[in-house]
mmCIF file with all atom_site columns, all heavy atoms in Angstrom:
data_model
loop_
_atom_site.group_PDB
_atom_site.id
_atom_site.type_symbol
_atom_site.label_atom_id
_atom_site.label_alt_id
_atom_site.label_comp_id
_atom_site.label_asym_id
_atom_site.label_entity_id
_atom_site.label_seq_id
_atom_site.pdbx_PDB_ins_code
_atom_site.Cartn_x
_atom_site.Cartn_y
_atom_site.Cartn_z
_atom_site.occupancy
_atom_site.B_iso_or_equiv
_atom_site.pdbx_formal_charge
_atom_site.auth_seq_id
_atom_site.auth_comp_id
_atom_site.auth_asym_id
_atom_site.auth_atom_id
_atom_site.pdbx_PDB_model_num
ATOM 1   N N   . ALA P 1 5  ? -58.297 20.487 -27.096 1.00 53.00 ? 5  ALA P N   1
ATOM 2   C CA  . ALA P 1 5  ? -58.735 19.272 -27.772 1.00 53.00 ? 5  ALA P CA  1
ATOM 3   C C   . ALA P 1 5  ? -58.118 19.124 -29.153 1.00 53.00 ? 5  ALA P C   1
ATOM 4   O O   . ALA P 1 5  ? -58.279 18.110 -29.820 1.00 53.00 ? 5  ALA P O   1
ATOM 5   C CB  . ALA P 1 5  ? -60.260 19.275 -27.888 1.00 53.00 ? 5  ALA P CB  1
ATOM 6   N N   . MET P 1 6  ? -57.383 20.144 -29.614 1.00 58.00 ? 6  MET P N   1
ATOM 7   C CA  . MET P 1 6  ? -56.796 20.126 -30.943 1.00 58.00 ? 6  MET P CA  1
ATOM 8   C C   . MET P 1 6  ? -55.319 19.793 -30.862 1.00 58.00 ? 6  MET P C   1
ATOM 9   O O   . MET P 1 6  ? -54.701 19.888 -29.796 1.00 58.00 ? 6  MET P O   1
ATOM 10  C CB  . MET P 1 6  ? -56.978 21.505 -31.604 1.00 58.00 ? 6  MET P CB  1
ATOM 11  C CG  . MET P 1 6  ? -58.410 21.998 -31.645 1.00 58.00 ? 6  MET P CG  1
ATOM 12  S SD  . MET P 1 6  ? -58.550 23.712 -32.182 1.00 58.00 ? 6  MET P SD  1
ATOM 13  C CE  . MET P 1 6  ? -58.018 23.582 -33.878 1.00 58.00 ? 6  MET P CE  1
ATOM 14  N N   . ASN P 1 7  ? -54.733 19.400 -32.004 1.00 62.00 ? 7  ASN P N   1
ATOM 15  C CA  . ASN P 1 7  ? -53.286 19.228 -31.997 1.00 62.00 ? 7  ASN P CA  1
ATOM 16  C C   . ASN P 1 7  ? -52.629 20.609 -31.981 1.00 62.00 ? 7  ASN P C   1
ATOM 17  O O   . ASN P 1 7  ? -53.260 21.621 -32.286 1.00 62.00 ? 7  ASN P O   1
ATOM 18  C CB  . ASN P 1 7  ? -52.820 18.406 -33.202 1.00 62.00 ? 7  ASN P CB  1
ATOM 19  C CG  . ASN P 1 7  ? -53.119 19.071 -34.533 1.00 62.00 ? 7  ASN P CG  1
ATOM 20  O OD1 . ASN P 1 7  ? -52.745 20.223 -34.760 1.00 62.00 ? 7  ASN P OD1 1
ATOM 21  N ND2 . ASN P 1 7  ? -53.795 18.353 -35.427 1.00 62.00 ? 7  ASN P ND2 1
ATOM 22  N N   . SER P 1 8  ? -51.341 20.640 -31.636 1.00 61.00 ? 8  SER P N   1
ATOM 23  C CA  . SER P 1 8  ? -50.649 21.907 -31.408 1.00 61.00 ? 8  SER P CA  1
ATOM 24  C C   . SER P 1 8  ? -50.678 22.819 -32.629 1.00 61.00 ? 8  SER P C   1
ATOM 25  O O   . SER P 1 8  ? -50.936 24.018 -32.527 1.00 61.00 ? 8  SER P O   1
ATOM 26  C CB  . SER P 1 8  ? -49.193 21.646 -30.999 1.00 61.00 ? 8  SER P CB  1
ATOM 27  O OG  . SER P 1 8  ? -49.143 20.945 -29.789 1.00 61.00 ? 8  SER P OG  1
ATOM 28  N N   . LYS P 1 9  ? -50.429 22.250 -33.807 1.00 67.00 ? 9  LYS P N   1
ATOM 29  C CA  . LYS P 1 9  ? -50.362 23.061 -35.023 1.00 67.00 ? 9  LYS P CA  1
ATOM 30  C C   . LYS P 1 9  ? -51.708 23.692 -35.343 1.00 67.00 ? 9  LYS P C   1
ATOM 31  O O   . LYS P 1 9  ? -51.793 24.885 -35.666 1.00 67.00 ? 9  LYS P O   1
ATOM 32  C CB  . LYS P 1 9  ? -49.895 22.190 -36.189 1.00 67.00 ? 9  LYS P CB  1
ATOM 33  C CG  . LYS P 1 9  ? -49.573 22.979 -37.449 1.00 67.00 ? 9  LYS P CG  1
ATOM 34  C CD  . LYS P 1 9  ? -48.910 22.091 -38.486 1.00 67.00 ? 9  LYS P CD  1
ATOM 35  C CE  . LYS P 1 9  ? -48.508 22.904 -39.711 1.00 67.00 ? 9  LYS P CE  1
ATOM 36  N NZ  . LYS P 1 9  ? -47.814 22.075 -40.718 1.00 67.00 ? 9  LYS P NZ  1
ATOM 37  N N   . SER P 1 10 ? -52.813 22.905 -35.251 1.00 73.00 ? 10 SER P N   1
ATOM 38  C CA  . SER P 1 10 ? -54.148 23.418 -35.535 1.00 73.00 ? 10 SER P CA  1
ATOM 39  C C   . SER P 1 10 ? -54.549 24.468 -34.508 1.00 73.00 ? 10 SER P C   1
ATOM 40  O O   . SER P 1 10 ? -55.143 25.502 -34.846 1.00 73.00 ? 10 SER P O   1
ATOM 41  C CB  . SER P 1 10 ? -55.161 22.278 -35.549 1.00 73.00 ? 10 SER P CB  1
ATOM 42  O OG  . SER P 1 10 ? -54.848 21.335 -36.554 1.00 73.00 ? 10 SER P OG  1
ATOM 43  N N   . ALA P 1 11 ? -54.213 24.204 -33.236 1.00 73.00 ? 11 ALA P N   1
ATOM 44  C CA  . ALA P 1 11 ? -54.555 25.135 -32.172 1.00 73.00 ? 11 ALA P CA  1
ATOM 45  C C   . ALA P 1 11 ? -53.846 26.474 -32.370 1.00 73.00 ? 11 ALA P C   1
ATOM 46  O O   . ALA P 1 11 ? -54.424 27.544 -32.185 1.00 73.00 ? 11 ALA P O   1
ATOM 47  C CB  . ALA P 1 11 ? -54.202 24.540 -30.811 1.00 73.00 ? 11 ALA P CB  1
ATOM 48  N N   . TYR P 1 12 ? -52.575 26.415 -32.760 1.00 75.00 ? 12 TYR P N   1
ATOM 49  C CA  . TYR P 1 12 ? -51.810 27.641 -32.971 1.00 75.00 ? 12 TYR P CA  1
ATOM 50  C C   . TYR P 1 12 ? -52.398 28.446 -34.126 1.00 75.00 ? 12 TYR P C   1
ATOM 51  O O   . TYR P 1 12 ? -52.553 29.669 -34.054 1.00 75.00 ? 12 TYR P O   1
ATOM 52  C CB  . TYR P 1 12 ? -50.343 27.307 -33.245 1.00 75.00 ? 12 TYR P CB  1
ATOM 53  C CG  . TYR P 1 12 ? -49.430 28.508 -33.224 1.00 75.00 ? 12 TYR P CG  1
ATOM 54  C CD1 . TYR P 1 12 ? -48.896 28.956 -32.017 1.00 75.00 ? 12 TYR P CD1 1
ATOM 55  C CD2 . TYR P 1 12 ? -49.113 29.193 -34.378 1.00 75.00 ? 12 TYR P CD2 1
ATOM 56  C CE1 . TYR P 1 12 ? -48.065 30.055 -31.980 1.00 75.00 ? 12 TYR P CE1 1
ATOM 57  C CE2 . TYR P 1 12 ? -48.285 30.300 -34.352 1.00 75.00 ? 12 TYR P CE2 1
ATOM 58  C CZ  . TYR P 1 12 ? -47.758 30.727 -33.151 1.00 75.00 ? 12 TYR P CZ  1
ATOM 59  O OH  . TYR P 1 12 ? -46.937 31.834 -33.118 1.00 75.00 ? 12 TYR P OH  1
ATOM 60  N N   . ALA P 1 13 ? -52.769 27.753 -35.219 1.00 77.00 ? 13 ALA P N   1
ATOM 61  C CA  . ALA P 1 13 ? -53.352 28.435 -36.379 1.00 77.00 ? 13 ALA P CA  1
ATOM 62  C C   . ALA P 1 13 ? -54.681 29.087 -36.021 1.00 77.00 ? 13 ALA P C   1
ATOM 63  O O   . ALA P 1 13 ? -54.978 30.209 -36.438 1.00 77.00 ? 13 ALA P O   1
ATOM 64  C CB  . ALA P 1 13 ? -53.539 27.435 -37.527 1.00 77.00 ? 13 ALA P CB  1
ATOM 65  N N   . LEU P 1 14 ? -55.482 28.379 -35.220 1.00 79.00 ? 14 LEU P N   1
ATOM 66  C CA  . LEU P 1 14 ? -56.785 28.926 -34.818 1.00 79.00 ? 14 LEU P CA  1
ATOM 67  C C   . LEU P 1 14 ? -56.596 30.129 -33.884 1.00 79.00 ? 14 LEU P C   1
ATOM 68  O O   . LEU P 1 14 ? -57.297 31.137 -33.997 1.00 79.00 ? 14 LEU P O   1
ATOM 69  C CB  . LEU P 1 14 ? -57.619 27.847 -34.137 1.00 79.00 ? 14 LEU P CB  1
ATOM 70  C CG  . LEU P 1 14 ? -59.021 28.254 -33.672 1.00 79.00 ? 14 LEU P CG  1
ATOM 71  C CD1 . LEU P 1 14 ? -59.866 28.704 -34.862 1.00 79.00 ? 14 LEU P CD1 1
ATOM 72  C CD2 . LEU P 1 14 ? -59.705 27.115 -32.934 1.00 79.00 ? 14 LEU P CD2 1
ATOM 73  N N   . ALA P 1 15 ? -55.646 30.016 -32.958 1.00 81.00 ? 15 ALA P N   1
ATOM 74  C CA  . ALA P 1 15 ? -55.405 31.093 -31.999 1.00 81.00 ? 15 ALA P CA  1
ATOM 75  C C   . ALA P 1 15 ? -54.985 32.369 -32.700 1.00 81.00 ? 15 ALA P C   1
ATOM 76  O O   . ALA P 1 15 ? -55.339 33.479 -32.275 1.00 81.00 ? 15 ALA P O   1
ATOM 77  C CB  . ALA P 1 15 ? -54.345 30.662 -30.991 1.00 81.00 ? 15 ALA P CB  1
ATOM 78  N N   . LEU P 1 16 ? -54.235 32.235 -33.781 1.00 83.00 ? 16 LEU P N   1
ATOM 79  C CA  . LEU P 1 16 ? -53.798 33.416 -34.527 1.00 83.00 ? 16 LEU P CA  1
ATOM 80  C C   . LEU P 1 16 ? -54.980 34.250 -35.023 1.00 83.00 ? 16 LEU P C   1
ATOM 81  O O   . LEU P 1 16 ? -54.892 35.483 -35.119 1.00 83.00 ? 16 LEU P O   1
ATOM 82  C CB  . LEU P 1 16 ? -52.931 32.995 -35.720 1.00 83.00 ? 16 LEU P CB  1
ATOM 83  C CG  . LEU P 1 16 ? -51.493 32.542 -35.401 1.00 83.00 ? 16 LEU P CG  1
ATOM 84  C CD1 . LEU P 1 16 ? -50.818 32.003 -36.658 1.00 83.00 ? 16 LEU P CD1 1
ATOM 85  C CD2 . LEU P 1 16 ? -50.672 33.685 -34.821 1.00 83.00 ? 16 LEU P CD2 1
ATOM 86  N N   . LYS P 1 17 ? -56.114 33.571 -35.327 1.00 83.00 ? 17 LYS P N   1
ATOM 87  C CA  . LYS P 1 17 ? -57.297 34.273 -35.835 1.00 83.00 ? 17 LYS P CA  1
ATOM 88  C C   . LYS P 1 17 ? -57.942 35.143 -34.763 1.00 83.00 ? 17 LYS P C   1
ATOM 89  O O   . LYS P 1 17 ? -58.673 36.080 -35.067 1.00 83.00 ? 17 LYS P O   1
ATOM 90  C CB  . LYS P 1 17 ? -58.326 33.266 -36.354 1.00 83.00 ? 17 LYS P CB  1
ATOM 91  C CG  . LYS P 1 17 ? -57.846 32.459 -37.550 1.00 83.00 ? 17 LYS P CG  1
ATOM 92  C CD  . LYS P 1 17 ? -58.928 31.484 -38.018 1.00 83.00 ? 17 LYS P CD  1
ATOM 93  C CE  . LYS P 1 17 ? -58.451 30.664 -39.218 1.00 83.00 ? 17 LYS P CE  1
ATOM 94  N NZ  . LYS P 1 17 ? -59.506 29.718 -39.677 1.00 83.00 ? 17 LYS P NZ  1
ATOM 95  N N   . TYR P 1 18 ? -57.698 34.814 -33.490 1.00 85.00 ? 18 TYR P N   1
ATOM 96  C CA  . TYR P 1 18 ? -58.359 35.524 -32.400 1.00 85.00 ? 18 TYR P CA  1
ATOM 97  C C   . TYR P 1 18 ? -57.440 36.541 -31.703 1.00 85.00 ? 18 TYR P C   1
ATOM 98  O O   . TYR P 1 18 ? -57.823 37.146 -30.705 1.00 85.00 ? 18 TYR P O   1
ATOM 99  C CB  . TYR P 1 18 ? -58.865 34.527 -31.361 1.00 85.00 ? 18 TYR P CB  1
ATOM 100 C CG  . TYR P 1 18 ? -60.009 33.683 -31.865 1.00 85.00 ? 18 TYR P CG  1
ATOM 101 C CD1 . TYR P 1 18 ? -59.786 32.423 -32.414 1.00 85.00 ? 18 TYR P CD1 1
ATOM 102 C CD2 . TYR P 1 18 ? -61.322 34.163 -31.797 1.00 85.00 ? 18 TYR P CD2 1
ATOM 103 C CE1 . TYR P 1 18 ? -60.845 31.648 -32.884 1.00 85.00 ? 18 TYR P CE1 1
ATOM 104 C CE2 . TYR P 1 18 ? -62.394 33.393 -32.260 1.00 85.00 ? 18 TYR P CE2 1
ATOM 105 C CZ  . TYR P 1 18 ? -62.138 32.142 -32.812 1.00 85.00 ? 18 TYR P CZ  1
ATOM 106 O OH  . TYR P 1 18 ? -63.189 31.385 -33.285 1.00 85.00 ? 18 TYR P OH  1
ATOM 107 N N   . ILE P 1 19 ? -56.246 36.722 -32.205 1.00 90.00 ? 19 ILE P N   1
ATOM 108 C CA  . ILE P 1 19 ? -55.325 37.675 -31.580 1.00 90.00 ? 19 ILE P CA  1
ATOM 109 C C   . ILE P 1 19 ? -55.900 39.091 -31.690 1.00 90.00 ? 19 ILE P C   1
ATOM 110 O O   . ILE P 1 19 ? -56.399 39.504 -32.738 1.00 90.00 ? 19 ILE P O   1
ATOM 111 C CB  . ILE P 1 19 ? -53.944 37.603 -32.258 1.00 90.00 ? 19 ILE P CB  1
ATOM 112 C CG1 . ILE P 1 19 ? -53.259 36.295 -31.870 1.00 90.00 ? 19 ILE P CG1 1
ATOM 113 C CG2 . ILE P 1 19 ? -53.071 38.785 -31.858 1.00 90.00 ? 19 ILE P CG2 1
ATOM 114 C CD1 . ILE P 1 19 ? -51.895 36.101 -32.486 1.00 90.00 ? 19 ILE P CD1 1
ATOM 115 N N   . LEU P 1 20 ? -55.823 39.832 -30.574 1.00 90.00 ? 20 LEU P N   1
ATOM 116 C CA  . LEU P 1 20 ? -56.331 41.206 -30.559 1.00 90.00 ? 20 LEU P CA  1
ATOM 117 C C   . LEU P 1 20 ? -55.548 42.070 -31.532 1.00 90.00 ? 20 LEU P C   1
ATOM 118 O O   . LEU P 1 20 ? -54.328 41.924 -31.687 1.00 90.00 ? 20 LEU P O   1
ATOM 119 C CB  . LEU P 1 20 ? -56.230 41.800 -29.156 1.00 90.00 ? 20 LEU P CB  1
ATOM 120 C CG  . LEU P 1 20 ? -57.030 41.122 -28.032 1.00 90.00 ? 20 LEU P CG  1
ATOM 121 C CD1 . LEU P 1 20 ? -56.903 41.931 -26.753 1.00 90.00 ? 20 LEU P CD1 1
ATOM 122 C CD2 . LEU P 1 20 ? -58.482 40.945 -28.404 1.00 90.00 ? 20 LEU P CD2 1
ATOM 123 N N   . SER P 1 21 ? -56.255 42.996 -32.145 1.00 90.00 ? 21 SER P N   1
ATOM 124 C CA  . SER P 1 21 ? -55.591 43.949 -33.037 1.00 90.00 ? 21 SER P CA  1
ATOM 125 C C   . SER P 1 21 ? -54.896 45.024 -32.215 1.00 90.00 ? 21 SER P C   1
ATOM 126 O O   . SER P 1 21 ? -55.142 45.173 -31.011 1.00 90.00 ? 21 SER P O   1
ATOM 127 C CB  . SER P 1 21 ? -56.612 44.601 -33.967 1.00 90.00 ? 21 SER P CB  1
ATOM 128 O OG  . SER P 1 21 ? -57.520 45.400 -33.205 1.00 90.00 ? 21 SER P OG  1
ATOM 129 N N   . SER P 1 22 ? -54.049 45.810 -32.861 1.00 90.00 ? 22 SER P N   1
ATOM 130 C CA  . SER P 1 22 ? -53.330 46.892 -32.176 1.00 90.00 ? 22 SER P CA  1
ATOM 131 C C   . SER P 1 22 ? -54.300 47.887 -31.559 1.00 90.00 ? 22 SER P C   1
ATOM 132 O O   . SER P 1 22 ? -54.098 48.360 -30.426 1.00 90.00 ? 22 SER P O   1
ATOM 133 C CB  . SER P 1 22 ? -52.404 47.604 -33.155 1.00 90.00 ? 22 SER P CB  1
ATOM 134 O OG  . SER P 1 22 ? -51.426 46.728 -33.641 1.00 90.00 ? 22 SER P OG  1
ATOM 135 N N   . SER P 1 23 ? -55.369 48.216 -32.275 1.00 89.00 ? 23 SER P N   1
ATOM 136 C CA  . SER P 1 23 ? -56.347 49.167 -31.749 1.00 89.00 ? 23 SER P CA  1
ATOM 137 C C   . SER P 1 23 ? -57.096 48.575 -30.560 1.00 89.00 ? 23 SER P C   1
ATOM 138 O O   . SER P 1 23 ? -57.405 49.284 -29.591 1.00 89.00 ? 23 SER P O   1
ATOM 139 C CB  . SER P 1 23 ? -57.334 49.579 -32.856 1.00 89.00 ? 23 SER P CB  1
ATOM 140 O OG  . SER P 1 23 ? -58.030 48.436 -33.351 1.00 89.00 ? 23 SER P OG  1
ATOM 141 N N   . GLN P 1 24 ? -57.408 47.288 -30.620 1.00 90.00 ? 24 GLN P N   1
ATOM 142 C CA  . GLN P 1 24 ? -58.085 46.651 -29.489 1.00 90.00 ? 24 GLN P CA  1
ATOM 143 C C   . GLN P 1 24 ? -57.184 46.647 -28.250 1.00 90.00 ? 24 GLN P C   1
ATOM 144 O O   . GLN P 1 24 ? -57.650 46.826 -27.130 1.00 90.00 ? 24 GLN P O   1
ATOM 145 C CB  . GLN P 1 24 ? -58.489 45.218 -29.860 1.00 90.00 ? 24 GLN P CB  1
ATOM 146 C CG  . GLN P 1 24 ? -59.665 45.123 -30.823 1.00 90.00 ? 24 GLN P CG  1
ATOM 147 C CD  . GLN P 1 24 ? -59.925 43.695 -31.262 1.00 90.00 ? 24 GLN P CD  1
ATOM 148 O OE1 . GLN P 1 24 ? -58.999 42.958 -31.594 1.00 90.00 ? 24 GLN P OE1 1
ATOM 149 N NE2 . GLN P 1 24 ? -61.207 43.320 -31.280 1.00 90.00 ? 24 GLN P NE2 1
ATOM 150 N N   . ILE P 1 25 ? -55.905 46.415 -28.485 1.00 91.00 ? 25 ILE P N   1
ATOM 151 C CA  . ILE P 1 25 ? -54.947 46.428 -27.356 1.00 91.00 ? 25 ILE P CA  1
ATOM 152 C C   . ILE P 1 25 ? -54.873 47.829 -26.750 1.00 91.00 ? 25 ILE P C   1
ATOM 153 O O   . ILE P 1 25 ? -54.932 47.995 -25.524 1.00 91.00 ? 25 ILE P O   1
ATOM 154 C CB  . ILE P 1 25 ? -53.558 45.963 -27.839 1.00 91.00 ? 25 ILE P CB  1
ATOM 155 C CG1 . ILE P 1 25 ? -53.594 44.454 -28.145 1.00 91.00 ? 25 ILE P CG1 1
ATOM 156 C CG2 . ILE P 1 25 ? -52.480 46.275 -26.790 1.00 91.00 ? 25 ILE P CG2 1
ATOM 157 C CD1 . ILE P 1 25 ? -52.320 43.925 -28.760 1.00 91.00 ? 25 ILE P CD1 1
ATOM 158 N N   . GLU P 1 26 ? -54.786 48.833 -27.603 1.00 88.00 ? 26 GLU P N   1
ATOM 159 C CA  . GLU P 1 26 ? -54.671 50.209 -27.107 1.00 88.00 ? 26 GLU P CA  1
ATOM 160 C C   . GLU P 1 26 ? -55.964 50.675 -26.455 1.00 88.00 ? 26 GLU P C   1
ATOM 161 O O   . GLU P 1 26 ? -55.953 51.237 -25.356 1.00 88.00 ? 26 GLU P O   1
ATOM 162 C CB  . GLU P 1 26 ? -54.294 51.143 -28.260 1.00 88.00 ? 26 GLU P CB  1
ATOM 163 C CG  . GLU P 1 26 ? -53.930 52.546 -27.806 1.00 88.00 ? 26 GLU P CG  1
ATOM 164 C CD  . GLU P 1 26 ? -53.320 53.374 -28.906 1.00 88.00 ? 26 GLU P CD  1
ATOM 165 O OE1 . GLU P 1 26 ? -52.989 52.811 -29.975 1.00 88.00 ? 26 GLU P OE1 1
ATOM 166 O OE2 . GLU P 1 26 ? -53.182 54.596 -28.700 1.00 88.00 ? 26 GLU P OE2 1
ATOM 167 N N   . ASP P 1 27 ? -57.109 50.413 -27.113 1.00 87.00 ? 27 ASP P N   1
ATOM 168 C CA  . ASP P 1 27 ? -58.397 50.835 -26.560 1.00 87.00 ? 27 ASP P CA  1
ATOM 169 C C   . ASP P 1 27 ? -58.750 50.056 -25.299 1.00 87.00 ? 27 ASP P C   1
ATOM 170 O O   . ASP P 1 27 ? -59.494 50.551 -24.443 1.00 87.00 ? 27 ASP P O   1
ATOM 171 C CB  . ASP P 1 27 ? -59.512 50.645 -27.600 1.00 87.00 ? 27 ASP P CB  1
ATOM 172 C CG  . ASP P 1 27 ? -59.321 51.560 -28.813 1.00 87.00 ? 27 ASP P CG  1
ATOM 173 O OD1 . ASP P 1 27 ? -58.548 52.531 -28.691 1.00 87.00 ? 27 ASP P OD1 1
ATOM 174 O OD2 . ASP P 1 27 ? -59.924 51.269 -29.869 1.00 87.00 ? 27 ASP P OD2 1
ATOM 175 N N   . GLY P 1 28 ? -58.211 48.851 -25.197 1.00 88.00 ? 28 GLY P N   1
ATOM 176 C CA  . GLY P 1 28 ? -58.525 48.013 -24.025 1.00 88.00 ? 28 GLY P CA  1
ATOM 177 C C   . GLY P 1 28 ? -57.718 48.354 -22.790 1.00 88.00 ? 28 GLY P C   1
ATOM 178 O O   . GLY P 1 28 ? -57.927 47.763 -21.727 1.00 88.00 ? 28 GLY P O   1
ATOM 179 N N   . GLY P 1 29 ? -56.808 49.309 -22.924 1.00 90.00 ? 29 GLY P N   1
ATOM 180 C CA  . GLY P 1 29 ? -56.039 49.744 -21.754 1.00 90.00 ? 29 GLY P CA  1
ATOM 181 C C   . GLY P 1 29 ? -54.820 48.896 -21.450 1.00 90.00 ? 29 GLY P C   1
ATOM 182 O O   . GLY P 1 29 ? -54.234 49.012 -20.354 1.00 90.00 ? 29 GLY P O   1
ATOM 183 N N   . PHE P 1 30 ? -54.421 48.011 -22.353 1.00 93.00 ? 30 PHE P N   1
ATOM 184 C CA  . PHE P 1 30 ? -53.211 47.214 -22.118 1.00 93.00 ? 30 PHE P CA  1
ATOM 185 C C   . PHE P 1 30 ? -51.983 48.131 -22.061 1.00 93.00 ? 30 PHE P C   1
ATOM 186 O O   . PHE P 1 30 ? -51.935 49.149 -22.761 1.00 93.00 ? 30 PHE P O   1
ATOM 187 C CB  . PHE P 1 30 ? -53.031 46.193 -23.254 1.00 93.00 ? 30 PHE P CB  1
ATOM 188 C CG  . PHE P 1 30 ? -53.983 45.037 -23.209 1.00 93.00 ? 30 PHE P CG  1
ATOM 189 C CD1 . PHE P 1 30 ? -55.259 45.134 -23.759 1.00 93.00 ? 30 PHE P CD1 1
ATOM 190 C CD2 . PHE P 1 30 ? -53.619 43.842 -22.599 1.00 93.00 ? 30 PHE P CD2 1
ATOM 191 C CE1 . PHE P 1 30 ? -56.143 44.073 -23.717 1.00 93.00 ? 30 PHE P CE1 1
ATOM 192 C CE2 . PHE P 1 30 ? -54.499 42.773 -22.564 1.00 93.00 ? 30 PHE P CE2 1
ATOM 193 C CZ  . PHE P 1 30 ? -55.772 42.880 -23.117 1.00 93.00 ? 30 PHE P CZ  1
ATOM 194 N N   . PRO P 1 31 ? -50.988 47.793 -21.248 1.00 92.00 ? 31 PRO P N   1
ATOM 195 C CA  . PRO P 1 31 ? -49.766 48.617 -21.206 1.00 92.00 ? 31 PRO P CA  1
ATOM 196 C C   . PRO P 1 31 ? -49.015 48.519 -22.527 1.00 92.00 ? 31 PRO P C   1
ATOM 197 O O   . PRO P 1 31 ? -48.823 47.423 -23.069 1.00 92.00 ? 31 PRO P O   1
ATOM 198 C CB  . PRO P 1 31 ? -48.961 48.004 -20.053 1.00 92.00 ? 31 PRO P CB  1
ATOM 199 C CG  . PRO P 1 31 ? -49.483 46.607 -19.908 1.00 92.00 ? 31 PRO P CG  1
ATOM 200 C CD  . PRO P 1 31 ? -50.927 46.652 -20.306 1.00 92.00 ? 31 PRO P CD  1
ATOM 201 N N   . THR P 1 32 ? -48.592 49.664 -23.043 1.00 91.00 ? 32 THR P N   1
ATOM 202 C CA  . THR P 1 32 ? -47.861 49.692 -24.320 1.00 91.00 ? 32 THR P CA  1
ATOM 203 C C   . THR P 1 32 ? -46.552 50.472 -24.227 1.00 91.00 ? 32 THR P C   1
ATOM 204 O O   . THR P 1 32 ? -45.726 50.394 -25.131 1.00 91.00 ? 32 THR P O   1
ATOM 205 C CB  . THR P 1 32 ? -48.740 50.324 -25.424 1.00 91.00 ? 32 THR P CB  1
ATOM 206 O OG1 . THR P 1 32 ? -49.152 51.640 -25.000 1.00 91.00 ? 32 THR P OG1 1
ATOM 207 C CG2 . THR P 1 32 ? -49.975 49.474 -25.691 1.00 91.00 ? 32 THR P CG2 1
#
Side-chain angles (χ1 to χ4, degrees):
M6 306 171 67
N7 63 54
S8 297
K9 189 171 184 178
S10 299
Y12 191 86
L14 181 61
L16 285 173
K17 296 180 180 180
Y18 291 95
I19 288 179
L20 298 185
S21 65
S22 297
S23 60
Q24 287 174 315
I25 289 174
E26 189 169 349
D27 295 343
F30 286 84
T32 56

